[in-house]
Amino acid sequence: MTTVSAPHDGRRYEVLEGRLLITGAQPPAHHAAVVALMIRLKHACPADLLVAVNSLDYRPDLNTTLRPDLLICHRTDAGPHLLTAPPVLAVEVLSPTTRTTDVVLKRTVYEQHGIQSYWLLDPTTQELTILDLTPTGYTCQAVVQSEETFLITTPFPITLCPSALTR
């Protein structure tokens, strides 16, 4: 199998069922939310887990390569640039150009490949949607808005407030 590296041009390159998805550069609010959430997750993350920010490709099969904005995986599962075992958490920060892909397509793929938790953070509406995998698919555990706080227990305990992540 031959692998080709994606160019380092500020875009995100992903493959979904053999189709190339290219996401352009994201607005500053998107990056600020990713960094704020990464800092909070890294402080709460147990030593056996790894928080990765747009640096690991998740490749569940030969026709799919996804790169969530943030993911958490077992350290022992992470290669230098590639993850083949399902992460325990995938997070997408929504933007106008990625909303449909993140809410519909990626949700379906993450669910099919057994990712335990999937979070969607919307910096525009200051809303965090927390989905957990059940035997019948993803179930919404909470939709946390603006100044609300919520204690999340999976993949580890952490209290989050959307407005604090999106300022």
Side-chain angles (χ1 to χ4, degrees):
M1 173 175 76
T2 303
T3 57
V4 178
S5 295
H8 298 285
D9 60 3
R11 294 183 176 119
R12 181 173 19 176
Y13 294 85
E14 300 173 285
V15 178
L16 182 58
E17 297 175 356
R19 295 182 325 208
L20 181 62
L21 302 175
I22 302 172
T23 304
Q26 296 300 312
H30 180 277
H31 294 292
V34 169
V35 169
L37 184 54
M38 183 234 7
I39 290 167
R40 295 294 315 275
L41 289 171
K42 284 187 79 65
H43 281 118
C45 188
D48 64 322
L49 297 177
L50 172 70
V51 178
V53 179
N54 200 18
S55 59
L56 279 177
D57 288 339
Y58 170 51
R59 190 170 300 158
D61 59 49
L62 293 176
N63 296 315
T64 305
T65 300
L66 297 171
R67 184 173 278 201
D69 289 313
L70 286 143
L71 68 78
I72 296 177
C73 64
H74 293 279
R75 285 187 182 277
T76 55
D77 292 339
H81 302 284
L82 186 63
L83 179 67
T84 55
V88 295
L89 170 65
V91 180
E92 295 292 354
V93 176
L94 302 179
S95 68
T97 60
T98 65
R99 179 175 298 280
T100 301
T101 300
D102 294 340
V103 173
V104 179
L105 293 175
K106 286 189 175 182
R107 176 183 171 149
T108 301
V109 172
Y110 293 156
E111 187 178 74
Q112 289 171 344
H113 291 286
I115 296 178
Q116 182 181 358
S117 294
Y118 182 40
W119 299 354
L120 298 157
L121 177 60
D122 188 334
T124 304
T125 61
Q126 295 186 333
E127 185 175 272
L128 175 64
T129 302
I130 301 160
L131 305 169
D132 283 333
L133 193 59
T134 67
T136 58
Y138 280 130
T139 299
C140 184
Q141 296 303 309
V143 177
V144 188
Q145 298 179 341
S146 192
E147 299 293 326
E148 295 176 339
T149 59
F150 186 75
L151 173 62
I152 300 163
T153 57
T154 302
F156 47 80
I158 185 170
T159 300
L160 294 175
C161 171
S163 65
L165 301 172
T166 58
R167 289 187 198 129

